[in-house]
Amino acid sequence: MKLVFQRTVGLQEKETHYCPGCTHGIIHRLVGEALEELDILEDTVGVASVGCSVLSYEYFNCDMTQAAHGRAPAVATGIKRVLPNNRIVFTYQGDGDLASIGMAEIIHAAARGEHITVIFVNNATYGMTGGQMAPTTLIGQKTATTPLGRNEQTQGAPIRVSEMLATLDSVAYIERVSTHNIANILKAKKAIKKAFRYQKEQVGFSFVEVLSTCPTNWGLDPEESLQWVEDNMVPYYPLGVKKDRGVTTNVT
Amino acid sequence: MAKVLMKGNEVIAEAAIQSGCKYFFGYPITPQSELVAYMAKRLPEVDGLFLQAESEIAAINMVYGAASAGVRVMTSSSSPGFSLKQEGISFLAGAELPAVLVNIARGGPGLGNIQPAQSDYFQVTKGGGHGDYYTPVLAPSTLQEVVELTQVAFYLADKYRTPVILLGDGMLGQMMEPVEFASIDFTEAFPKKDWATTGTRGDGPPRVISSLELNDVNLENHNKKLQAKYSEIKCQEVRVDSYLADDADYFVVAYGTVSRIAKNAIDAARQKGIKIGMIRPITLWPFPEQAFIERKDKAKGYLVVEMSAGQMVEDVRLAVNGTAPVTFFGRTGGVIPSHLEIYDAIMNVAGGELV
């Protein structure tokens, strides 16, 4: 019998705490598969952030350090700078963590061209904290702290983090992907793998923004949530490569 | 090794490098910026790394990352910047990560000024950040003592897996004195850092460094473990100095640079026949309570001198526990008390002895 699929060794054999319909589990698996396929799992230190993914250190099958709110890029900088060059360091951060309290840390890690990989999961809300407005919350989107919908006049416009970071010279690779259907999940896998490969080959700072769902706080069922990503998030957060410095070797 | 004339901030930096610290993450702030600049110049020469962070918050979190990877690492700042580091210090304590943190204190609160002060005592000795934790705090009074206590700081950090604070003030950071760099032989072996997250290749199963524990009973158990460690540090690591204390009836209590000024005042009072000496805490936490308990039947009074509105005086009162009067004299805002002022304060406390 031909084996066509099996659990990735990039993840621990453990049930996650994520809500039904949340795509964190898919994104975890994509990261785990990328680490396994590039044979870097044993060279990798992951940095867990704060928010729904705070417990990701229980799921990834590699050394993990847990960082304070928004500080994961600084913690990752400290780890990466003191370990040998062949070590891989990644952060796994949500939009509340990365784009609000941790905005300074991500901008400066990118500006320094830190040789780390950032997996940025954007679900347009504060998930674990209870569905409050995030910097990525869409105009008109109702949240616990924008009960009438986000108003640009009083709460400003959502931040397109990938585009903003792509303006920095020292960044090697930035792509925005989504997990709302199979085709996009496959593209997300390719981007995440490429981001880690760029780090392995010491190209520089790599960053993948993954559009994700939050059925619980959005008040939608899992299927509606996937559709909401396509209908509302993708138009504001266009998918695709935002910056690619490229490498001389064949990166796929 | 010959003595060299160096500035205080640079002595701390060089002593750290000679203690095996090859990694420094910092952010400039007066009056400690020479330490940052020295590290920037020297660390590449010893195959180390200096990185200027975008903020004090980033710097302490870079320290957290480097410490979690098992290296000897340091950061430094001054009062307003040290406040920003408190978040990270709480996380270091919670995750039990060793690091040395330098505070070359200045006048506050708020932006304050850049003159030397001791008004960060509460912040460094009472935890400072959120949660139940303490950090050992070492307070040198001379640059030669800086050489020794910087080594002790790294030793304590590694031995107990804890952040350790080296506390000076702007005067200590900016003064120049001849120093001799000599290594301390700590005799006991440092515990292996097999907990460090460096990648698992060849090292067995994955490791996790975290200060998170969602289960309340588990977190209480973690806190009990931390408190047991703090109890051991209180038993094992108290450091205190004294001056003319053997026959003294009265005592000045002072730490850091102001203790040097107080010595002049004590000498002057001795010439007037007052039997006064000094107790100088070197570890501010753990506080040398025993030095006061031992003198409870003999001491007639204490004068606490600080460059603050009165912070350490509370620990002295707790240690003295009502067995003798405790008086306070302090200057704030970066004002350095003169030895004449301290002499007058001594006379107010112990002058009755002249009658």
Side-chain angles (χ1 to χ4, degrees):
Chain A
M1 193 183 291
K2 188 183 171 192
L3 182 67
V4 293
F5 183 78
Q6 64 182 340
R7 188 182 62 81
T8 173
V9 297
L11 294 179
Q12 312 243 13
E13 220 170 332
K14 196 174 281 183
E15 202 172 300
T16 71
H17 69 286
Y18 299 117
C19 300
C22 168
T23 47
H24 260 311
I26 294 171
I27 303 164
H28 274 31
R29 202 182 81 197
L30 300 182
V31 170
E33 286 176 355
L35 296 175
E36 179 189 0
E37 289 168 21
L38 292 168
D39 190 24
I40 53 175
L41 191 58
E42 292 180 314
D43 301 321
T44 296
V45 181
V47 182
S49 59
V50 163
C52 289
S53 57
V54 67
L55 292 174
S56 63
Y57 60 73
E58 292 196 350
Y59 309 137
F60 290 114
N61 195 16
C62 59
D63 275 358
M64 293 290 294
T65 295
Q66 204 286 313
H69 308 70
R71 318 300 179 212
V75 172
T77 297
I79 298 171
K80 182 73 181 186
R81 292 282 189 132
V82 305
L83 288 179
N85 276 341
N86 67 348
R87 291 299 198 259
I88 304 294
V89 178
F90 76 94
T91 73
Y92 189 102
Q93 303 177 259
D95 48 296
D97 181 87
L98 181 142
S100 192
I101 193 169
M103 189 61 107
E105 282 76 11
I106 192 61
I107 287 178
H108 287 278
R112 286 191 303 269
E114 291 297 339
H115 286 215
I116 62 173
T117 298
V118 174
I119 307 300
F120 171 45
V121 181
N122 179 1
N123 63 6
T125 192
Y126 281 59
M128 179 175 273
T129 315
Q132 296 86 357
M133 186 187 78
T136 47
T137 294
L138 298 173
I139 300 298
Q141 187 180 340
K142 290 184 177 177
T143 73
T145 50
T146 55
L148 302 177
R150 180 172 184 166
N151 179 343
E152 186 174 349
Q153 299 305 313
T154 51
Q155 281 117 12
I159 301 172
R160 294 186 184 93
V161 176
S162 289
E163 284 82 349
M164 187 174 67
L165 294 180
T167 65
L168 299 168
D169 289 346
S170 301
V171 168
Y173 169 61
I174 294 182
E175 183 166 353
R176 182 183 291 120
V177 295
S178 181
T179 47
H180 69 278
N181 58 34
I182 302 295
N184 278 290
I185 289 172
L186 292 174
K187 285 182 189 169
K189 166 70 181 296
K190 201 173 165 187
I192 289 169
K193 193 170 173 184
K194 182 172 171 179
F196 278 109
R197 190 152 179 198
Y198 269 39
Q199 186 181 168
K200 188 181 179 186
E201 299 186 7
Q202 299 179 33
V203 184
F205 179 86
S206 57
F207 183 96
V208 179
E209 175 175 347
V210 189
L211 302 186
S212 180
T213 60
C214 188
T216 300
N217 287 307
W218 290 354
L220 301 173
D221 70 30
E223 204 172 341
E224 291 168 341
S225 295
L226 296 171
Q227 193 61 45
W228 196 86
V229 171
E230 180 165 334
D231 294 345
N232 297 283
M233 291 187 74
V234 172
Y236 191 84
Y237 297 113
L239 306 180
V241 175
K242 307 301 172 191
K243 177 154 189 179
D244 190 350
R245 189 191 286 163
V247 281
T248 50
T249 52
N250 181 28
V251 174
T252 55
Chain B
M1 196 181 282
K3 284 193 172 183
V4 286
L5 184 66
M6 286 179 74
K7 197 171 193 174
N9 285 326
E10 298 181 341
V11 173
I12 299 170
E14 183 61 34
I17 291 168
Q18 296 199 20
S19 303
C21 172
K22 287 171 70 176
Y23 302 98
F24 181 92
F25 302 90
Y27 188 77
I29 179 172
T30 308
Q32 62 86 52
S33 294
E34 296 86 356
L35 203 168
V36 179
Y38 190 90
M39 285 297 198
K41 182 171 177 291
R42 272 285 283 147
L43 278 171
E45 294 173 0
V46 295
D47 201 24
L49 170 92
F50 163 84
L51 186 62
Q52 182 168 320
E54 65 269 26
S55 68
E56 288 87 348
I57 298 171
I60 191 73
N61 282 282
M62 290 173 186
V63 165
Y64 179 98
S68 71
V71 301
R72 280 195 161 176
V73 60
M74 185 165 98
T75 187
S76 65
S77 194
S78 181
S79 307
F82 208 78
S83 295
L84 291 174
K85 293 186 189 292
Q86 294 302 333
E87 169 194 282
I89 298 172
S90 169
F91 275 72
L92 285 163
E96 296 191 89
L97 291 176
V100 173
L101 322 167
V102 180
N103 183 0
I104 299 299
R106 65 189 231 185
L111 202 50
N113 60 20
I114 58 171
Q115 308 305 323
Q118 295 182 315
S119 45
D120 294 356
Y121 180 92
F122 283 153
Q123 188 185 52
V124 298
T125 61
K126 311 296 181 192
H130 62 282
D132 284 317
Y133 77 92
Y134 292 97
T135 52
V137 182
L138 302 166
S141 65
T142 68
L143 298 193
Q144 189 59 51
E145 200 177 16
V146 163
V147 173
E148 177 192 333
L149 292 184
T150 303
Q151 294 174 66
V152 172
F154 281 101
Y155 161 77
L156 294 176
D158 278 347
K159 182 176 178 183
Y160 294 100
R161 283 184 64 178
T162 180
V164 176
I165 295 171
L166 190 72
L167 178 71
D169 58 41
M171 185 157 47
L172 191 84
Q174 295 295 319
M175 67 167 62
M176 292 184 80
E177 285 185 320
V179 295
E180 184 176 7
F181 288 94
S183 294
I184 303 172
D185 181 2
F186 287 103
T187 60
E188 50 194 309
F190 292 105
K192 194 165 177 279
K193 293 182 176 178
D194 52 6
W195 44 264
T197 51
T198 57
T200 60
R201 200 170 286 277
D203 280 341
R207 295 153 292 206
V208 171
I209 288 172
S210 174
S211 59
L212 177 70
E213 179 48 72
L214 291 173
N215 179 285
D216 53 0
V217 174
N218 289 351
L219 182 57
E220 184 176 52
N221 287 335
H222 179 59
N223 271 293
K224 284 178 179 170
K225 181 186 162 201
L226 291 178
Q227 294 302 320
K229 171 163 75 178
Y230 300 145
S231 294
E232 189 186 346
I233 294 172
K234 284 176 86 167
C235 287
Q236 302 291 329
E237 307 298 347
V238 171
R239 287 170 180 256
V240 59
D241 188 27
S242 63
Y243 178 66
L244 304 179
D246 289 348
D247 67 337
D249 297 324
Y250 293 91
F251 298 90
V252 170
V253 188
Y255 71 93
T257 49
V258 79
S259 68
R260 299 170 66 164
I261 304 168
K263 276 186 183 177
N264 290 340
I266 288 168
D267 289 344
R270 279 270 174 181
Q271 285 179 6
K272 293 286 182 186
I274 295 176
K275 288 167 77 173
I276 187 159
M278 179 160 63
I279 297 171
R280 178 173 70 91
I282 295 172
T283 50
L284 302 184
W285 191 89
F287 191 73
E289 297 159 1
Q290 195 59 34
F292 299 89
I293 294 168
E294 284 167 0
R295 293 178 170 87
K296 69 180 170 60
D297 297 327
K298 187 161 182 284
K300 294 180 179 172
Y302 295 91
L303 171 67
V304 181
V305 180
E306 296 178 73
M307 295 196 296
S308 79
Q311 299 194 9
M312 182 178 71
V313 63
E314 295 190 5
D315 283 335
V316 174
R317 288 200 177 108
L318 283 170
V320 171
N321 199 20
T323 57
V326 176
T327 308
F328 173 73
F329 174 75
R331 297 296 303 268
T332 67
V335 177
I336 301 168
S338 73
H339 75 279
L340 293 175
E341 286 176 306
I342 299 172
Y343 174 82
D344 287 345
I346 289 172
M347 285 305 169
N348 283 336
V349 169
E353 293 291 300
L354 291 173
V355 180

